[in-house]
Amino acid sequence: MQDKGEYSFSTCWNIKRHSVGKSMLAEIAELGFRRVELNYSVTREMLTTIEPMVEQGKIKVSSVHNTFPYIPDPDYGTDSVLLGFEDKDKRERAVELLIGSAEYAHRYGAQAVVVHPGEVPFPTDISKELYAIYNSEGKHTDAYRQKWAELMERREEYSRGYVQTIIESLDEVCSRTLSKGLNVRFGIETRSKPQQIPTLAEAKVIINALKGAPVGIWYDTGHAIMMDRLGLYDSVSEMEGLMDDIVGVHIHETIGLSDHWCPYVHSHDVTFYDAYLPMIKQAQIKVYELKAACQPEQIHESHQLLVSKLNEENSHSHSL
């Protein structure tokens, strides 16, 4: 079994197959991973068998994914206005929950909390409508252009206000976690729906506004590829400007608009994903975030390809 070293692996891969935390982590350890990211579906009950493993050093936790542990309330779920709520009570609750996630991260020796900061709310899930047009008619059709214009008009009108509220929320979270002596960073994640915050430009605005605070970008490569395909931003050239702000990466590839596949292996494209290697190399925390359909042998093959490409790049840069 190849030891995956510094690379971490998200529990999103097998959480639906397990009700006991210990067996879930044991299955990940069998793949050769010594570190895990505990995702937002991990329940308090699962933690009763996970915590002894962490305390005994059987597995390390690289990161936890807000809101952690699992909360059944969709207001504080993964697709929510979350830190951008205008309602003071809801926003205060979102702030408290993020501080709670940071306390767990600190307790487990994790370096970071992955954060979905918020979104511009729409009356219906406009991304669903967009994806349907993209998949059936394509991006270069009038139907797509019309739907995209509708999305961008509302996004541009409201996003600045939501970004400002998110900055205030994160500012509060950081000052309170620092006063509690919690040594964790917050990585604001690139998202999988175009109405969600942040774009790469918005991420830069948030990070710059919080200079000196433990906030940076969590670059989810698969989500960034999706947003690039839809037309929200350029996932490679804009990535350059965030290199110094990177907290962590989610490693997975997107085929069409379907994400969480093993890089190189499922797309059968041996070069496309290379564009994201500089960000993976730069990130302190490197986490595979794969779907259940990815088989162990595909995971090993993908990892081997990724690591050999990074090693090649290293030896090339050293020889220059």
Side-chain angles (χ1 to χ4, degrees):
M1 172 53 50
Q2 187 200 5
D3 185 331
K4 305 296 192 296
E6 64 173 326
Y7 289 82
S8 179
F9 198 82
S10 170
T11 53
C12 78
W13 176 64
N14 63 342
I15 192 152
K16 291 200 169 102
R17 293 201 294 274
H18 294 271
S19 54
V20 178
K22 185 180 179 179
S23 64
M24 174 173 70
L25 296 200
E27 190 181 20
I28 290 171
E30 276 169 30
L31 294 172
F33 289 96
R34 291 184 280 159
R35 298 164 191 273
V36 292
E37 176 170 293
L38 299 173
N39 81 324
Y40 48 76
S41 302
V42 173
T43 62
R44 283 177 198 277
E45 199 182 352
M46 285 177 155
L47 291 177
T48 58
T49 57
I50 289 173
E51 286 180 357
M53 293 176 81
V54 175
E55 282 157 19
Q56 291 156 21
K58 287 181 179 164
I59 196 111
K60 285 191 165 81
V61 179
S62 63
S63 36
V64 305
H65 197 313
N66 189 57
T67 301
F68 184 90
Y70 176 69
I71 293 227
D73 185 342
D75 270 351
Y76 306 99
T78 52
D79 298 332
S80 150
V81 180
L82 219 55
L83 297 174
F85 275 126
E86 288 166 275
D87 180 300
K88 275 207 162 53
D89 293 340
K90 279 188 164 182
R91 184 158 76 97
E92 190 46 49
R93 171 104 169 106
V95 163
E96 291 291 345
L97 287 168
L98 181 49
I99 293 167
S101 296
E103 286 172 331
Y104 274 100
H106 180 81
R107 187 193 315 169
Y108 298 158
Q111 297 161 280
V113 180
V114 183
V115 184
H116 291 177
E119 61 183 51
V120 174
F122 276 74
T124 59
D125 186 352
I126 194 163
S127 59
K128 239 189 196 131
E129 300 160 38
L130 258 174
Y131 296 173
I133 301 168
Y134 183 100
N135 289 327
S136 62
E137 301 175 47
K139 185 178 169 179
H140 303 293
T141 56
D142 287 343
Y144 187 86
R145 275 193 280 268
Q146 246 170 319
K147 186 53 72 178
W148 184 258
E150 185 191 320
L151 168 92
M152 290 313 283
E153 190 184 348
R154 184 175 168 95
R155 208 187 186 292
E156 280 162 14
E157 188 179 344
Y158 291 105
S159 61
R160 194 170 283 126
Y162 283 104
V163 166
Q164 195 44 50
T165 306
I166 286 165
I167 290 167
E168 288 161 21
S169 297
L170 283 169
D171 192 33
E172 187 184 338
V173 167
C174 290
S175 56
R176 285 173 57 187
T177 50
L178 288 169
S179 71
K180 285 171 179 270
L182 305 180
N183 183 26
V184 291
R185 294 176 78 195
F186 297 94
I188 51 175
E189 184 181 352
T190 52
R191 302 302 319 284
S192 62
K193 294 180 179 180
Q195 71 269 35
Q196 294 173 326
I197 295 168
T199 60
L200 296 182
E202 287 163 351
K204 197 73 185 161
V205 168
I206 294 167
I207 292 161
N208 287 346
L210 295 164
K211 268 277 180 277
V215 174
I217 181 100
W218 190 280
Y219 198 90
D220 183 299
T221 55
H223 293 167
I225 292 165
M226 274 171 103
M227 292 308 99
D228 193 318
R229 284 183 184 153
L230 290 171
L232 190 64
Y233 52 75
D234 184 321
S235 65
V236 177
S237 67
E238 290 187 55
M239 174 175 92
E240 296 297 316
L242 286 157
M243 282 296 199
D244 296 338
D245 305 308
I246 182 77
V247 173
V249 288
H250 276 154
I251 301 169
H252 61 102
E253 196 171 356
T254 297
I255 301 166
L257 295 180
S258 168
D259 54 0
H260 302 287
W261 296 103
C262 295
Y264 303 111
V265 171
H266 285 109
S267 62
H268 304 295
D269 187 325
V270 292
T271 56
F272 172 76
Y273 198 75
D274 292 0
Y276 302 91
L277 294 176
M279 190 56 113
I280 293 169
K281 183 181 169 183
Q282 182 85 350
Q284 235 186 327
I285 312 170
K286 311 177 202 299
V287 183
Y288 282 94
E289 193 180 54
L290 304 175
K291 59 170 68 180
C294 297
Q295 297 302 309
E297 58 279 10
Q298 294 167 329
I299 295 167
H300 298 315
E301 188 190 344
S302 179
H303 179 67
Q304 233 155 349
L305 276 164
L306 186 101
V307 169
S308 65
K309 280 169 178 280
L310 281 168
N311 289 342
E312 228 169 86
E313 209 177 275
N314 281 346
S315 60
H316 178 66
S317 57
H318 286 152
S319 63
L320 291 180

